[in-house]
Amino acid sequence: MSFPSTIDWDDHWEATDRDGLDEMRAAGERTVDRLERFFDGFPGSLADVGCGPAFMLFEAADRHPDADLYGYDAAASVVRRNRSIAAEREVDGLRFETARLPALDVDRRFDCVTCIATLHYVADVRSALDSLYSRVAPGGHLVFNYPNRHTRRMYREDPDTDPERFELVLDGENLLTYEDIEATLSRRPRSFWKAVDEDDWRSIGRVNPCVIVNKPEG
């Protein structure tokens, strides 16, 4: 299973040693920290789209056992593995389902929807944004990062960039701006990095923009 012009994610996660993903695990923990700062607690329900090995969700389940948590990923292999780990740990309130962007076939809404390090691999990125936002409950928030022209330049200059994995970004096919996001969602995004008082949020947001978009009540 793969998105157009990207790698086969089922094969990728089948071949990846979960125990060797220390940086990804730490990043998931930091995401929970940031969400706690933003919400001054944690949302009652959260969906992570493109969850991969779901380190963020497992950390959130440990810290906030009353939260209703869902992980969605296009790769059935990683969904099966996540379900197995959740069952072994007897984690209540954490569910995993197979779903893919840009058409996100999900039948419920959440207080918060996150999509981190996933839009880089989706060709129809504006349709993906619309699908993600449609899953946010009134009064809720969408948090996502995305590639922009600075991301593209950074990848082009990095000799370790995988040209197959990041083909869409390198070719400039799915880059976004604040103006693109506002035109798609009819809401002005704001920097998530700034909202959570991240150190050096300006420089981080230049090459790895991460934004939050609220959905009005009613």
Side-chain angles (χ1 to χ4, degrees), residues 74-88:
S77 59
V78 80
V79 169
R80 287 193 301 269
R81 179 59 175 150
N82 290 340
R83 286 175 175 171
S84 176
I85 293 170
E88 290 171 4

Side-chain angles (χ1 to χ4, degrees), residues 31 35 38-39 112-117 119-120 129 132-133 136 141-148 176-182 185 187-196 201 204-206 208-214:
T31 298
L35 291 171
F38 180 79
F39 288 101
C112 182
V113 174
T114 58
C115 185
I116 304 300
L119 293 178
H120 296 61
L129 284 183
L132 290 165
Y133 196 56
V136 178
H141 298 81
L142 170 62
V143 179
F144 63 96
N145 71 339
Y146 60 90
N148 64 8
L176 288 171
T177 65
Y178 271 40
E179 288 71 25
D180 294 330
I181 296 167
E182 185 173 15
L185 303 182
R187 300 291 297 176
R188 183 70 175 176
R190 56 186 175 125
S191 171
F192 183 64
W193 303 126
K194 182 180 180 181
V196 297
W201 65 268
I204 295 171
R206 180 178 175 85
N208 181 25
C210 186
V211 297
I212 190 159
V213 183
N214 74 297

Side-chain angles (χ1 to χ4, degrees), residues 32-104:
V32 177
D33 293 340
R34 291 161 182 149
L35 291 171
E36 288 173 340
R37 293 204 300 271
F38 180 79
F39 288 101
D40 193 22
F42 204 78
S45 63
L46 180 145
D48 188 32
V49 179
C51 65
F55 294 121
M56 184 271 282
L57 289 172
F58 281 109
E59 181 69 19
D62 286 343
R63 299 191 201 180
H64 305 282
D66 293 333
D68 194 12
L69 305 171
Y70 280 74
Y72 297 100
D73 202 277
S77 59
V78 80
V79 169
R80 287 193 301 269
R81 179 59 175 150
N82 290 340
R83 286 175 175 171
S84 176
I85 293 170
E88 290 171 4
R89 298 181 183 179
E90 299 181 342
V91 180
D92 295 327
L94 176 54
R95 301 169 183 84
F96 294 98
E97 301 291 342
T98 303
R100 61 162 35 194
L101 293 170
L104 187 63

